[in-house]
Amino acid sequence: MLDLYRPGTSPLHSLSPGPKILVMMAAGTALFLVESLPLVLGALLLTLALYRLAGLTLGDALVQLRPLAPIFVIFLALQYWLSGPVLAAFVVLRLAALILLASLVTLTTRASDMIDTITRALALLRPLGVNPAKVGLAISLALRFIPVLGQITTDVREAQKTRGLERSVIATALPVAIRTLKMADDIADAIEARGYDPRA
Amino acid sequence: MDTRSIVYIALFAALTAALGLVPPISFAGLALPPITAQSLGVMLAGAIAGARRGGLAMLLFVALVAIGLPLLSGGRGGFGIFAGASGGFVVAWPICAAVIGWLVGRAETSPLRLAVAIAIGGILVMYAIGIPWMAVVAKLPLSKAVMIMLAYVPGDLVKVAIAVIVTRGIRRAYPAL
Amino acid sequence: MIEIETVRLAYGDRTVLHDISLSLTERRIGIIGANGSGKSSFARLLNGLVLPSSGSVRIDGLDTRAKGKEVRRKVGFVFQNPDNQIVFPTVAEDLAFGMKNLRLPKDEIARKTDAILARYDLSDLRDHPAHLLSGGQKQLLAISGVLVMDPAYLVLDEPTTLLDLRNTRRIAAALEALAQTVILATHDLDLLEGFDRVLVFDEGRIVADDTPAAALPFYVERMA
């Protein structure tokens, strides 16, 4: 499946997703409550040590931060100008630590294991009218149709390109949305034809 | 919930992921993150699938991003998104789609009212959640965070216009919807 | 046996099938007709995906209106576009979907999955993402997903329209080998060679009901 998982055998990989997520959330919250630069720096180094433990390199960690590079620069500049170098460093380092920590969970957990954990956790919400089986079906359908719609989007963009419309978002979005709705009826029929009972 | 609604929820989540493949438009070089077509998916989910199905479709999308699928524009995903500066905008998506769906369900047909409904949910509500989030994460005063986001308003208005055109196009193709 | 009694089907004020009565007992039945002739709607009537506006459809005595669930168990349905029929991300997961709906035990699901994958030469693709399969493999997977539910009847709505010649032949060979009753709506007249009976639809009516040797030339002439 398309996910960001990096296979491995480290203790972090073998830890089950539930506890991993809870620890990450607790640590993330704690990071927000502390206001000291040394502590945040310590947390960042600790997180990087955990990357080593998971068999990941410093390069892997940097890749996680790269998409946010522009926003880091803006924040650094703004904070430097507003409140000086210490707070600027603090904000950017805290942001980096939070993102690296959260990404670590993603890198060491298979998406399918995460889905299993979520569907099991959803059973707790049954009294609120949540039906875990239906949520499971919706998740599977979305995973099935993301590549299909991705392909349709690519096809439509190619078709529009030959007409010189490749930069037109409307010329892409409208046909893709119409194809999506057309598919929806067929898929619903197919699901019921295969014995799915929405009342079960 | 009937089978068709479950399919709609899954398909609008998938559609939003697919719109992440439309190349983003960089408007300020490297200074600001580029504009993506993806929030168009939020507007369409609300305006076409309705409040409940659209909101749940976006909740599903956000959950899939959270568990580590690289579905956000540029192949981003995972919990790290929520810790980041734009995390609030993504978290807002289910609420935005639900608000749009609710308003569109009440407003109906005229393009102007449709545009207002989509703008309220897709810009006002999204910024109301995303900007304070950014201010907290970056320890910025709220006013500065608002300033940064002002750069995105023109792009978002264009998206509202596109969402109106697409929604009306679909209503003509699928009058029964 | 499939019994269709004075069936009329209308969407709003548009009638798509007019007063059709017949019973189907043959093992290989073809349905042909131009686009919009009503053959797709007719196929959908047979497993209760569409219910008649008036009249009744009975499968081995079970009315599609009253016994929808049992009918769907008996009558498997294969759609034109396998991309809309395969609903799970990987091959094995998709095969399991119908069997889970039948509440089959886990070991039986695993056993039947292995058997059908071996039968259609798909064993290597067990955990393969469905979207990476070829068109022919996708349609074989769609058919397999229905066959593992052990239907007594298999209705197929233009299953080869999106396929090339080689894959069309693969599907034809697969259908030929089936023990089930096969009801095939198609534009590909070659597929109906060796069939027992062919129904020709035009504007919502059956205009010919005969052996392929008689019905196919009639249809070709009518379309000319």
Side-chain angles (χ1 to χ4, degrees), chain C residues 22-36:
Chain C
L22 51 97
S23 61
L24 302 172
T25 51
E26 293 77 4
R27 274 191 65 240
R28 294 288 181 265
I29 298 154
I31 305 173
I32 53 179
N35 296 324

Side-chain angles (χ1 to χ4, degrees), chain C residues 51-128:
Chain C
L51 295 174
S53 308
S54 64
S56 70
V57 177
R58 285 192 306 280
I59 315 292
D60 294 340
L62 299 167
D63 189 293
T64 56
R65 193 184 304 278
K67 302 274 179 192
K69 217 173 157 181
E70 288 86 341
V71 166
R72 280 180 190 165
R73 234 188 133 134
K74 259 189 189 304
V75 185
F77 197 99
V78 176
F79 294 78
Q80 177 183 348
N81 186 351
D83 259 336
N84 295 352
Q85 169 152 13
I86 300 168
V87 294
F88 275 71
T90 64
V91 171
E93 282 177 287
D94 189 69
L95 289 173
F97 175 64
M99 295 191 273
K100 280 186 184 157
N101 290 336
L102 295 179
R103 313 228 177 284
L104 296 188
K106 255 198 176 127
D107 50 331
E108 198 180 343
I109 294 181
R111 195 171 48 72
K112 294 180 99 165
T113 301
D114 290 340
I116 199 102
L117 288 176
R119 181 158 147 200
Y120 292 124
D121 220 8
L122 299 169
S123 296
D124 294 343
L125 303 174
R126 199 191 161 91
D127 294 310
H128 211 70

Side-chain angles (χ1 to χ4, degrees), chain C residues 33-54:
Chain C
N35 296 324
S37 60
K39 64 181 192 310
S40 243
S41 301
F42 181 78
R44 280 169 164 71
L45 279 172
L46 301 179
N47 85 329
L49 269 177
V50 170
L51 295 174
S53 308
S54 64

Side-chain angles (χ1 to χ4, degrees), chain A residues 2-4 24 35 67 70 74-75 79 91 94-95 102 106 114 118 134 141 143 149 153 177 180-182 185 192, chain B residues 1 3-4 8 10-11 15 18 21 30-32 67-69 76 78-80 83 85 136-139 165 170 174:
Chain A
L2 72 167
D3 69 33
L4 301 169
M24 183 268 289
E35 293 276 326
I74 299 175
F75 287 168
Q79 287 294 359
V91 163
R94 181 176 70 180
L95 199 55
T106 306
M114 205 89 87
I118 290 173
K134 287 189 176 175
L141 279 174
L143 294 178
L149 285 181
T153 307
T180 304
L181 288 172
K182 261 202 183 108
D185 291 338
E192 295 200 348
Chain B
M1 182 166 295
T3 310
R4 191 150 272 127
Y8 269 87
L11 281 183
L15 175 70
L21 297 175
L30 273 177
L32 285 175
I67 65 173
L69 302 184
R76 292 170 304 132
F79 277 112
V136 170
V137 169
K139 275 178 102 53
I165 294 169
I170 281 183
Y174 279 85

